[in-house]
Amino acid sequence: MHYEGNIIRPPSEARSIILQATVGCSHNRCTFCPTYTGVRFRIKDEATLSADIRYAAQAFPGARRLFITDGDALIIPFKRLRQLFLEINEQLPRLTRIGIYASAKSLRRRSLEELNQLREQKLGIIYYGLESGDDVTLAAIDKGTTGEESIALCRKVKAAGIKLSTTVMIGIAGPERSLIHARKTGEVLSAIDPDYVGALITMIAPGTRLEAAERQGQFALPDQRGLLLELKEMITWTNLSKGMFMANHASNYLPIKIHSPAQREAALSMIDAALSGAVPLREEWMRGL
Ligand code: SF4
């Protein structure tokens, strides 16, 4: 396979074939994101992609899942994207699901009809970085969208019958706006009602604009207690029909897994117990950063 640069994928795609169809991210402006710093976005040429698909078909003929990178590969113009999906399905007929990352910019370009066509070609899940539902925070991190727009874009994915997984960031609004960010994010998540939510503690990565802001005293993360209070507020304001809300990434101090709405109260009680010191938190060295 012809891989270039940083290849990232969601944890749930650990067993998938990874097909790198684009290099970088067409947005590439989020202040916290170190993944494609300095990488000029481009779509890989058709010959390279065809060779990779043929190789994958020979190496993993029984593969069930395939994941397309990089950062927002859904941005590929529809004609090329449809051709890519046709080729993948032709070479790997046993696939049951194709997954892809999407940004607001890429979802803006996909009509419901196009998403329907991709779903028919086994596009089964889209991963979307919501990060926050608070417009002030979204502007501060240069996400290039608003909470309202994210609701409309994500509802389009759901209307096409494609599963939706969203990530949100704990701590990204800093201490002063922490609880507003939490509440507004919960409200936007409730309006979207995604199939899965993953909450990650913000990591300040070297070389990012967020790190520069921290160095200049313009940004700070909430302290450990503040992060837990933010997570609690976000869960309190989030109402999901299936209720899958995971805050169990290695970066989190307190692993929380909510599989159904019925488990929400227990999760909130666990956070309260952690805030009172009755439940131990992950030590710094145990956090997978
Ligand atoms: S859209 Fe995603 S990949 Fe692109 S810069 Fe933002 S966080 Fe990074």
Side-chain angles (χ1 to χ4, degrees):
M1 304 290 273
H2 299 82
Y3 295 129
E4 293 178 39
N6 276 340
I7 305 290
I8 58 162
R9 52 138 182 91
S12 48
E13 300 287 345
R15 296 167 68 90
S16 306
I17 295 171
I18 305 296
L19 178 69
Q20 187 187 28
T22 62
V23 177
C25 163
S26 74
H27 178 62
N28 210 13
R29 294 187 55 83
C30 301
T31 59
F32 58 87
C33 178
T35 315
Y36 307 113
T37 306
V39 177
R40 191 161 174 193
F41 174 79
R42 71 171 213 277
I43 301 167
K44 290 172 85 171
D45 66 85
E46 287 170 28
T48 304
L49 288 176
S50 294
D52 279 357
I53 295 167
R54 283 198 305 274
Y55 174 82
Q58 277 172 8
F60 317 105
R64 296 302 171 112
R65 289 189 176 184
L66 180 142
F67 183 71
I68 304 176
T69 68
D70 275 350
D72 64 345
L74 197 69
I75 196 92
I76 296 172
F78 186 66
K79 254 175 98 175
R80 278 182 79 173
L81 199 55
R82 191 179 49 191
Q83 189 50 42
L84 181 68
F85 272 70
L86 285 172
E87 207 171 327
I88 292 169
N89 278 291
E90 200 179 283
Q91 296 284 334
L92 289 151
R94 298 186 68 185
L95 286 180
T96 55
R97 186 178 90 175
I98 299 173
I100 200 164
Y101 279 131
S103 60
K105 186 174 172 184
S106 60
L107 274 177
R108 227 174 263 144
R109 295 198 186 171
R110 293 285 79 88
S111 68
L112 177 58
E113 169 54 25
E114 289 172 348
L115 289 174
N116 274 327
Q117 286 190 40
L118 294 175
R119 193 238 315 123
E120 283 165 11
Q121 294 295 325
K122 298 186 188 163
L123 178 56
I125 186 163
I126 286 180
Y127 296 85
Y128 180 74
L130 174 69
E131 329 305 6
S132 176
D134 172 33
D135 289 347
V136 173
T137 303
L138 288 167
I141 64 175
D142 213 350
K143 195 71 205 172
T145 188
T146 62
E148 273 307 305
E149 191 191 30
S150 278
I151 293 171
L153 296 172
C154 290
R155 283 183 173 166
K156 187 165 59 176
V157 173
K158 293 197 70 193
I162 298 169
K163 281 200 175 357
L164 178 69
S165 178
T166 56
T167 49
V168 294
M169 298 183 72
I170 305 294
I172 192 66
E176 286 79 30
R177 221 173 159 81
S178 166
L179 295 181
I180 300 172
H181 152 69
R183 177 167 59 79
K184 288 185 177 282
T185 304
E187 288 172 347
V188 169
L189 284 172
S190 304
I192 295 172
D193 198 17
D195 297 275
Y196 312 100
V197 178
L200 315 175
I201 300 280
T202 302
M203 310 305 310
I204 302 182
T208 57
R209 284 193 283 157
L210 193 64
E211 186 214 28
E214 185 195 39
R215 240 186 298 116
Q216 291 156 12
Q218 293 160 356
F219 178 80
L221 283 172
D223 61 16
Q224 207 182 62
R225 184 178 174 79
L227 292 169
L228 281 176
L229 287 168
E230 183 175 314
L231 178 61
K232 182 182 171 189
E233 184 80 350
M234 198 180 287
I235 292 173
T236 302
W237 284 89
T238 304
N239 287 298
L240 306 171
S241 55
K242 291 189 203 147
M244 293 275 269
F245 189 111
M246 302 292 166
N248 62 334
H249 186 265
S251 65
N252 291 35
Y253 289 103
L254 180 71
I256 296 274
K257 291 185 195 178
I258 306 175
H259 289 101
S260 71
Q263 294 178 347
R264 195 166 71 143
E265 287 309 313
L268 290 171
S269 301
M270 194 156 107
I271 297 174
D272 280 337
L275 284 165
S276 69
V279 168
L281 299 175
R282 272 186 187 136
E283 302 277 346
E284 284 296 340
W285 65 269
M286 289 174 71
R287 296 169 69 216
L289 307 181

